[in-house]
Amino acid sequence: MLLCDFHIHTKFSDGSLDLRKTIDIFGQTGFDVIAITDHVVNGDHPIGKFAHRFKLSVTAKNFGEYIENIRYEAQRAWDKYEMLVIPGVEISKNYISSDKSAHLLIIDIKEFIPACMSIESILIEAKNQGALTVACHPHHTPDRMNKDTLFLWNNREKYCRYIDAWEIANRDDFFSVVAHKKFPYIASSDFHRASHIFSWKTLLNCQKDVVSVKQCIKTNKGVAITLFRN
Ligand code: ZN
Ligand code: ZN
Ligand code: ZN
């Protein structure tokens, strides 16, 4: 099965390592498929304004450069490690209230999507681009203290038809409540620094190409999760 991680941050947002170093860590560890998913933060709230100011968010302005860098590194990763690298973002709608906050992975994104649009518009735009949508850390995370993102889970009946998969595990946290619902699932590291490589991961039984990977996750056939340890 393919060893995969679909939730990875670099210095393009708040990750501690640059893109190339990040890719080398995953390549050298033997991963088959990864997605780079730096934050795109909503600028319509002080938290987001702060993120923009301190360059902790991909923006409309540097999105082109971001994608170009990922595509370049993806070719290098394929030649060197036979590892598939897919460009993505983590739309990060941050508010004081956990009930309003939502984080959403858009994997295989082509055009910039602003995080200040409504969740519904974002999901529809992602679908129009043929991207995969994943609700991330959708339930309470004990070590994130007041930074829970519960909007998608609380409104799951309304939005589940647009959401291709749900993270049932993120780094060290397992969301059993989410796992009980029979939605398609993945598990990811939410990688921000090197030690995060040891965390929950997804295993896929499919071909190593973008179309097959997206299809495998959507249909949720041949998907497993594993707690990847040293
Ligand atoms: Zn982050
Ligand atoms: Zn997040
Ligand atoms: Zn993240």
Side-chain angles (χ1 to χ4, degrees):
M1 288 180 91
L2 302 176
L3 177 60
C4 311
D5 193 341
F6 298 104
H7 190 161
I8 298 170
H9 299 280
T10 73
K11 277 190 173 170
F12 273 100
S13 62
D14 61 351
S16 63
L17 303 171
D18 67 24
L19 178 62
R20 173 164 286 208
K21 178 80 190 151
T22 304
I23 282 175
D24 282 333
I25 287 177
F26 280 91
Q28 285 159 10
T29 311
F31 277 73
D32 295 291
V33 186
I34 64 170
I36 302 296
T37 56
D38 273 301
H39 294 282
V40 171
V41 182
N42 57 317
D44 60 351
H45 186 275
I47 303 172
K49 287 203 176 87
F50 177 87
H52 281 246
R53 179 137 175 238
F54 291 94
K55 302 206 177 355
L56 301 174
S57 172
V58 174
T59 61
K61 220 172 140 192
N62 73 347
F63 182 77
E65 182 199 340
Y66 172 67
I67 294 293
E68 205 176 293
N69 272 268
I70 295 174
R71 296 241 181 255
Y72 180 86
E73 285 299 319
Q75 185 60 53
R76 194 181 65 87
W78 185 257
D79 296 342
K80 195 165 179 186
Y81 307 112
E82 269 183 62
M83 179 174 74
L84 183 67
V85 177
I86 308 172
V89 296
E90 180 178 12
I91 295 285
S92 308
K93 290 173 91 62
N94 295 331
Y95 298 100
I96 301 291
S97 158
S98 302
D99 293 326
K100 278 183 77 180
S101 300
H103 284 196
L104 178 79
L105 301 178
I106 300 182
I107 294 163
D108 196 26
I109 189 171
K110 280 91 177 177
E111 305 285 338
F112 184 70
I113 303 177
C116 54
M117 297 198 314
S118 72
I119 272 289
E120 191 156 11
S121 311
I122 290 168
L123 288 163
I124 290 168
E125 175 56 25
K127 299 272 109 182
N128 288 341
Q129 293 187 21
L132 193 84
T133 56
V134 180
C136 25
H137 41 79
H139 215 258
H140 295 289
T141 43
D143 57 347
R144 274 178 211 243
M145 302 286 284
N146 306 324
K147 284 176 82 187
D148 286 340
T149 48
L150 304 176
F151 180 83
L152 292 171
W153 181 250
N154 289 347
N155 295 281
R156 58 194 176 278
E157 301 307 336
K158 185 170 175 195
Y159 297 115
C160 66
R161 66 198 176 105
Y162 302 115
I163 296 173
D164 295 314
W166 296 72
E167 265 184 2
I168 56 169
N170 175 291
R171 201 174 303 154
D172 301 313
D173 296 319
F174 186 84
F175 310 112
S176 53
V177 180
V178 180
H180 278 289
K181 195 94 183 172
K182 305 273 182 254
F183 293 142
Y185 60 82
I186 62 166
S188 16
S189 67
D190 205 350
F191 183 95
H192 285 72
R193 56 173 181 267
S195 62
H196 293 163
I197 197 136
F198 303 116
S199 58
W200 283 102
K201 299 286 186 276
T202 306
L203 298 169
L204 298 182
N205 186 13
C206 70
Q207 300 279 335
K208 204 191 288 188
D209 62 72
V210 180
V211 173
S212 306
V213 163
K214 289 194 292 187
Q215 187 66 13
C216 186
I217 293 173
K218 266 189 217 179
T219 55
N220 202 221
K221 290 206 173 80
V223 179
I225 66 169
T226 184
L227 185 52
F228 185 76
R229 292 262 170 83
N230 195 351

